[in-house]
């Protein structure tokens, strides 16, 4: 088993000599089975959790126990943040003696120490290697940025993508400059939802947004000047509306439709993709008819009350989101959901049943398992009472495989060259 780890006030991490690392499923502390631990993947980061202590399992006393101090100083809990392609199976087990400010928007994951290395509670869900750390080197990126901006110095979309590549380290934005794989087309400055964990806008100021929402409406010319070279030149090129710095792209439906028609008038090459909250099925219909190749609709739950508690939608509801998924699939679009997963919530029996029902009713192609970036306490406090037993996150994956073997499980958007390929089939859950 992994040993519990904790940190001192200077962030120095140590492992506990006797306590086993704990994990959490929702607000319940649980032991993490040894076989569910993997070596901390390259590109992961470690965080301390101010105001919270690590909780571990005392095997002698058969009880959970918090590590509150290192010598005379307070000991802090430690969490891992996973790189793309991995789904966490357990939250960190923590104990906070008093109410503390909410933590920033990261997906906090249980971490421990075993056999001389850090281990974490996670599973790889996608074997596509486009976002591996070794694919990115800012020493080669920066000259490319200079070159692109020298050619189009007044294109605000390129300037926005530069900001995303260099300040937020968005890998899709970096791809835009490398002219390969998936690149963003930021387009929307407004949204019709108010997600508790929105990374581009936190109006109540409880935590900082990790991106600043873009503040302008691009023109058709600016967008096409980015999109056209990408789809015509990039290897397995995808241009994606709706990224971390965006609002909701469906609110810019007319402009997206114009971009699709302009690009498709020039070339059949490349994939035109939309990341969306799926709130406006009629707009989705128009975009599919214009030539949208693929769509990814985000949701945290198939239960209307859980969905509404997190998305806080304005003038639409979960029924519209499901209608968008169905419409896109019916019109021949490759259709994925971006399932914002959270241990102890997404793996509850009612959620699993709802997810399988959604798959059966819509025939969607891919479920992307995305760790929800939010302080676990903040998410759980905002949810209505949850029903049913949590079956475990790995069991959720196995159940999907068993009950809906036709659907792909993964993490990343697919270029159309790979619409019929599974990047998770060979992975063991
Ligand atoms: S739908 Fe997207 S842009 Fe809108 S509030 Fe939610 S996370 Fe933010």
């Amino acid at each position: 088993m992994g040993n519990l780890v904790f940190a001192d006030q200077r962030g120095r991490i140590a492992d506990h000599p006797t306590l086993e690392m704990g994990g959490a499923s929702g607000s319940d502390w649980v032991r993490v089975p040894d076989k569910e631990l993997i070596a901390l993947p390259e590109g992961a980061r470690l965080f301390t959790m101010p105001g919270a202590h690590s909780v571990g399992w005392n095997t002698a006393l058969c009880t959970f126990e918090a590590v509150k101090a290192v010598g005379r100083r307070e000991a802090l809990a430690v969490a891992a943040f996973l790189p793309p392609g991995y789904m966490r199976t357990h939250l960190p087990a923590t104990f906070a003696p008093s109410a503390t400010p909410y933590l920033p928007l990261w997906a906090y994951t249980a971490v421990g120490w075993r056999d001389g290395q850090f281990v974490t509670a996670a599973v790889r869900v996608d074997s596509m290697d486009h976002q591996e750390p070794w694919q990115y080197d800012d020493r080669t990126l920066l000259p490319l940025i200079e070159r692109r901006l020298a050619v189009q110095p007044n294109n605000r979309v390129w300037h926005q993508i530069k900001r995303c590549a260099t300040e937020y380290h968005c890998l899709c934005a970096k791809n835009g400059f490398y002219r390969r794989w998936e690149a963003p087309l930021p387009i929307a400055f407004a949204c019709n939802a108010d997600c508790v964990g929105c990374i581009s806008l936190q109006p109540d100021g409880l935590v900082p947004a990790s991106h600043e929402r873009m503040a302008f409406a691009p023109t058709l010319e600016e967008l096409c000047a980015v999109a056209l070279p990408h789809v015509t030149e990039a290897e397995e090129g995808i241009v994606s509306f709706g990224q971390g710095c965006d609002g909701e792209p469906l609110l810019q439906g007319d402009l997206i439709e114009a971009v699709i028609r302009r690009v498709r008038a020039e070339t059949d090459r490349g994939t035109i993709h939309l990341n969306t909250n799926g709130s406006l099925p009629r707009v989705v219909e128009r975009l599919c008819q214009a030539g949208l190749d693929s769509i990814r609709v985000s949701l945290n739950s198939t239960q209307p009350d859980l969905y509404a508690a997190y998305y806080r939608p304005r003038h639409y509801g979960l029924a519209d989101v499901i209608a968008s998924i169905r419409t896109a699939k019916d019109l021949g679009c490759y259709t994925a959901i971006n399932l914002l997963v959270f241990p102890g919530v997404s793996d509850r029996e009612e959620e699993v049943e709802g997810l399988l029902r959604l798959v059966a009713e819509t025939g969607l192609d891919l479920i992307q398992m995305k760790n929800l970036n939010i302080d676990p306490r903040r998410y759980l406090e905002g949810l209505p009472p949850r029903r049913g037993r949590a079956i475990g996150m790995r069991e959720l994956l196995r159940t999907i495989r068993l009950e809906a073997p036709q659907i792909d499980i993964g993490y990343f958007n697919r270029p159309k060259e790979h619409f019929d390929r599974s990047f998770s089939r060979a992975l063991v859950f």
Side-chain angles (χ1 to χ4, degrees), residues 217-232:
T219 64
L220 177 61
E221 282 65 34
E222 285 174 311
L223 289 159
C224 289
V226 175
L228 262 169
H230 195 83
V231 292
T232 51

Side-chain angles (χ1 to χ4, degrees), residues 10 16 35 95 118 151 188 195 212 233 262 270 297 313 322 345:
R10 289 167 62 188
H16 195 277
K35 60 181 186 317
F95 168 74
F118 286 107
V151 177
C195 294
E212 188 178 333
E233 294 172 27
R262 173 86 65 92
V297 177
I322 294 171
V345 175

Side-chain angles (χ1 to χ4, degrees), residues 201-328:
L201 195 67
Q202 287 289 313
D204 56 14
L206 289 176
V207 295
S210 40
H211 296 51
E212 188 178 333
R213 175 82 55 85
M214 66 184 289
F216 64 94
T219 64
L220 177 61
E221 282 65 34
E222 285 174 311
L223 289 159
C224 289
V226 175
L228 262 169
H230 195 83
V231 292
T232 51
E233 294 172 27
E235 176 200 352
E236 297 179 357
I238 306 174
V239 283
S240 288
F241 300 101
Q243 297 281 347
C245 61
D246 266 284
E248 171 47 47
L250 287 177
L251 300 183
Q252 290 276 49
D254 290 346
L255 188 53
I256 296 178
E257 184 178 352
V259 173
I260 296 172
R261 292 195 185 282
R262 173 86 65 92
V263 169
R264 285 297 172 239
E266 301 274 334
T267 179
D268 285 339
R269 215 172 171 275
T271 305
I272 307 180
H273 174 82
L274 172 68
N275 298 313
T276 172
N277 64 19
S279 52
L280 303 173
R282 292 230 174 110
V283 180
V284 169
E285 183 177 7
R286 266 176 36 219
L287 299 182
C288 293
Q289 286 164 344
L292 187 71
D293 297 297
S294 84
I295 187 170
R296 186 188 75 189
V297 177
S298 291
L299 68 166
N300 66 323
S301 170
T302 54
Q303 316 297 314
D305 55 349
L306 259 75
Y307 178 84
Y310 178 76
Y311 274 81
R312 301 186 292 202
R314 299 187 197 102
H315 312 302
Y316 79 93
L318 183 59
D320 298 294
V321 177
I322 294 171
S324 288
I325 296 170
R326 195 177 290 124
T327 300

